[in-house]
Amino acid sequence: MSLTFHWFLPTNGDSRHVVGGGHGTPATAFGQNRPPTVAYLSQIARAAEDLGFVGALTPTGAWCEDAWLTTAMVSQHTERLKFLVAFRPGFVSPTLAAQMASTFQRQTGGRLLLNVVTGGESHEQKAYGDFLDKDARYRRTGEFLEVVRELWEARRSA
């Protein structure tokens, strides 16, 4: 059995303490000991790459920097590390997501991995204007992925 290991890019900042902000933990100032600059996140990404990690998760949420933009910048400072970009269907159109993913793949030599986040905590979803319940969010994700797959298939066969 082979295992694949991924690291984590702390796009809310970093410190020696537990950094809050996601999954029910309160956002704290702890993460601000090391702000999530491109230089710092690139240092982490290069270290992960040098240590043999395959990819790095870049989270999504109001408490952190944008995953797409951050990884696009950081990817330019690495050679092999893949980026597991977390994003939420419904916050971006499927056609735009398909275009962004295709562009990322071409510009990085195929180093994009996607982490589809159907929904976060209800208070954060509502802050983004998303008032759907969990079942409705899963239906939306299914429809979203269906459109994205069709767009990618059409592009490959063209």
Side-chain angles (χ1 to χ4, degrees):
M1 171 173 70
S2 102
L3 296 174
T4 302
F5 290 94
H6 298 267
W7 196 247
F8 177 82
L9 291 180
T11 59
N12 184 42
D14 203 0
S15 76
R16 294 187 181 272
H17 304 282
V18 174
V19 177
H23 304 291
T25 59
T28 64
F30 289 129
Q32 298 310 308
N33 291 350
R34 291 185 189 124
T37 64
V38 171
Y40 180 62
L41 295 174
S42 295
Q43 179 184 1
I44 292 171
R46 283 189 305 273
E49 183 175 74
D50 290 345
L51 292 169
F53 287 90
V54 171
L57 170 66
T58 309
T60 186
W63 50 275
C64 56
E65 298 293 339
D66 178 76
W68 287 101
L69 292 172
T70 300
T71 55
M73 289 182 270
V74 172
S75 71
Q76 301 308 297
H77 300 276
T78 60
E79 295 175 16
R80 297 173 314 282
L81 190 71
K82 295 182 180 186
F83 294 90
L84 182 57
V85 175
F87 76 100
R88 295 182 182 167
F91 290 10
V92 62
S93 75
T95 52
L96 180 58
Q99 181 185 24
M100 290 164 52
S102 294
T103 300
F104 197 110
Q105 285 293 62
R106 282 190 302 280
Q107 297 299 329
T108 65
R111 296 191 292 142
L112 175 66
L113 303 169
L114 295 175
N115 175 231
V116 180
V117 180
T118 296
E121 300 166 31
S122 13
H123 71 277
E124 187 177 22
Q125 292 292 124
K126 290 176 184 171
Y128 278 107
D130 185 9
F131 297 93
L132 297 179
D133 65 19
K134 186 176 181 180
D135 290 340
R137 288 196 311 262
Y138 274 91
R139 280 192 301 277
R140 175 179 63 199
T141 296
E143 293 168 4
F144 180 97
L145 292 174
E146 186 178 322
V147 171
V148 168
R149 281 188 195 108
E150 288 176 14
L151 289 166
W152 285 336
E153 288 301 318
R155 184 176 190 101
R156 275 187 238 162
S157 62

Short mmCIF file of all heavy atoms in Angstrom, two decimals, residues 10 13-20 28-34:
data_model
loop_
_atom_site.label_atom_id
_atom_site.label_comp_id
_atom_site.label_asym_id
_atom_site.label_seq_id
_atom_site.Cartn_x
_atom_site.Cartn_y
_atom_site.Cartn_z
N PRO A 10 -0.74 27.64 6.27
CA PRO A 10 -1.48 28.42 7.27
C PRO A 10 -1.83 29.83 6.76
O PRO A 10 -1.18 30.82 7.10
CB PRO A 10 -0.52 28.47 8.46
CG PRO A 10 0.84 28.44 7.82
CD PRO A 10 0.69 27.57 6.60
N GLY A 13 -2.20 32.88 9.03
CA GLY A 13 -1.04 33.23 9.84
C GLY A 13 -0.61 32.00 10.60
O GLY A 13 -1.27 30.97 10.59
N ASP A 14 0.49 32.12 11.28
CA ASP A 14 1.07 30.96 11.94
C ASP A 14 1.71 31.39 13.25
O ASP A 14 2.04 32.55 13.45
CB ASP A 14 2.14 30.37 11.01
CG ASP A 14 2.43 28.91 11.28
OD1 ASP A 14 1.81 28.32 12.18
OD2 ASP A 14 3.28 28.35 10.56
N SER A 15 1.87 30.44 14.15
CA SER A 15 2.57 30.68 15.41
C SER A 15 2.86 29.34 16.06
O SER A 15 2.58 28.28 15.49
CB SER A 15 1.71 31.54 16.34
OG SER A 15 0.67 30.76 16.91
N ARG A 16 3.39 29.38 17.25
CA ARG A 16 3.67 28.16 18.00
C ARG A 16 2.43 27.68 18.75
O ARG A 16 2.45 26.65 19.38
CB ARG A 16 4.81 28.37 18.97
CG ARG A 16 6.12 28.62 18.28
CD ARG A 16 7.26 28.66 19.28
NE ARG A 16 8.51 28.91 18.61
CZ ARG A 16 9.29 27.96 18.11
NH1 ARG A 16 8.92 26.71 18.19
NH2 ARG A 16 10.42 28.27 17.52
N HIS A 17 1.35 28.42 18.67
CA HIS A 17 0.11 28.08 19.35
C HIS A 17 -0.91 27.56 18.34
O HIS A 17 -0.77 27.78 17.14
CB HIS A 17 -0.46 29.31 20.06
CG HIS A 17 0.50 29.93 21.02
ND1 HIS A 17 0.75 29.41 22.27
CD2 HIS A 17 1.31 31.01 20.89
CE1 HIS A 17 1.66 30.15 22.88
NE2 HIS A 17 2.01 31.14 22.06
N VAL A 18 -1.94 26.91 18.84
CA VAL A 18 -3.00 26.45 17.96
C VAL A 18 -3.69 27.68 17.37
O VAL A 18 -4.07 28.60 18.08
CB VAL A 18 -4.03 25.60 18.74
CG1 VAL A 18 -5.21 25.24 17.85
CG2 VAL A 18 -3.36 24.34 19.27
N VAL A 19 -3.80 27.68 16.05
CA VAL A 19 -4.41 28.81 15.35
C VAL A 19 -5.88 28.50 15.14
O VAL A 19 -6.23 27.46 14.61
CB VAL A 19 -3.70 29.05 14.00
CG1 VAL A 19 -4.37 30.17 13.25
CG2 VAL A 19 -2.23 29.36 14.23
N GLY A 20 -6.74 29.41 15.57
CA GLY A 20 -8.17 29.20 15.42
C GLY A 20 -8.70 29.83 14.17
O GLY A 20 -7.98 30.40 13.37
N THR A 28 -8.22 33.79 16.58
CA THR A 28 -7.44 34.45 17.62
C THR A 28 -6.29 35.21 16.98
O THR A 28 -6.00 35.06 15.80
CB THR A 28 -6.86 33.41 18.60
OG1 THR A 28 -5.94 32.59 17.85
CG2 THR A 28 -7.93 32.56 19.23
N ALA A 29 -5.63 35.98 17.80
CA ALA A 29 -4.46 36.73 17.33
C ALA A 29 -3.23 35.84 17.30
O ALA A 29 -2.20 36.25 16.79
CB ALA A 29 -4.22 37.93 18.24
N PHE A 30 -3.32 34.60 17.83
CA PHE A 30 -2.14 33.73 17.87
C PHE A 30 -1.50 33.56 16.50
O PHE A 30 -0.31 33.55 16.36
CB PHE A 30 -2.51 32.35 18.42
CG PHE A 30 -2.81 32.35 19.88
CD1 PHE A 30 -3.97 31.77 20.35
CD2 PHE A 30 -1.92 32.91 20.79
CE1 PHE A 30 -4.24 31.76 21.71
CE2 PHE A 30 -2.19 32.90 22.14
CZ PHE A 30 -3.36 32.32 22.60
N GLY A 31 -2.32 33.41 15.48
CA GLY A 31 -1.80 33.17 14.15
C GLY A 31 -1.07 34.34 13.56
O GLY A 31 -0.42 34.21 12.54
N GLN A 32 -1.18 35.46 14.17
CA GLN A 32 -0.56 36.65 13.59
C GLN A 32 0.90 36.83 13.99
O GLN A 32 1.53 37.80 13.61
CB GLN A 32 -1.38 37.88 13.97
CG GLN A 32 -2.80 37.83 13.41
CD GLN A 32 -2.85 37.49 11.93
OE1 GLN A 32 -2.19 38.11 11.10
NE2 GLN A 32 -3.65 36.50 11.58
N ASN A 33 1.47 35.88 14.75
CA ASN A 33 2.90 35.96 15.03
C ASN A 33 3.71 35.90 13.74
O ASN A 33 4.75 36.51 13.62
CB ASN A 33 3.34 34.83 15.96
CG ASN A 33 2.80 35.00 17.36
OD1 ASN A 33 2.25 36.04 17.70
ND2 ASN A 33 2.92 33.97 18.16
N ARG A 34 3.21 35.13 12.78
CA ARG A 34 3.81 35.05 11.46
C ARG A 34 2.70 35.28 10.44
O ARG A 34 1.93 34.38 10.16
CB ARG A 34 4.45 33.69 11.23
CG ARG A 34 5.66 33.45 12.07
CD ARG A 34 6.31 32.13 11.69
NE ARG A 34 7.34 31.82 12.65
CZ ARG A 34 7.39 30.69 13.36
NH1 ARG A 34 6.48 29.76 13.19
NH2 ARG A 34 8.35 30.48 14.22
#
